Amino acid sequence: MAPADRLVERLYTAVDLWATGVALKRETIRRHHPGASDDEIEILLNRWLQERPGAEKGDGPRRIGS
């Protein structure tokens, strides 16, 4: 397998893991808010993705404003 192919495979794996994590969080939110509509669940999920504890400025070091 060529190095570029390995990088592509790793990227697909990372995206798949991210999507799985988001799906799991969605179900956790649904369990905590059993009466919420699908739209309300998506709002809560998006809020969590943007403001989750410990990642207020993102998941990694970067220059602010870049």
Side-chain angles (χ1 to χ4, degrees):
M1 183 179 295
D5 293 336
R6 280 193 289 272
L7 289 175
V8 169
E9 184 178 324
R10 290 173 66 186
L11 177 60
Y12 279 122
T13 299
V15 171
D16 184 50
L17 288 170
W18 177 83
T20 300
V22 170
L24 289 169
K25 184 61 181 180
R26 181 180 289 111
E27 294 309 312
T28 298
I29 292 170
R30 191 174 304 281
R31 280 194 312 275
H32 286 112
H33 303 275
S37 68
D38 289 345
D39 288 340
E40 291 168 326
I41 296 297
E42 290 304 309
I43 289 168
L44 291 169
L45 175 64
N46 285 317
R47 186 178 301 150
W48 180 83
L49 285 168
Q50 294 173 11
E51 301 171 359
R52 65 197 186 282
E56 294 83 1
K57 294 183 181 178
D59 290 322
R62 66 173 182 261
R63 293 185 316 200
I64 303 299
S66 60

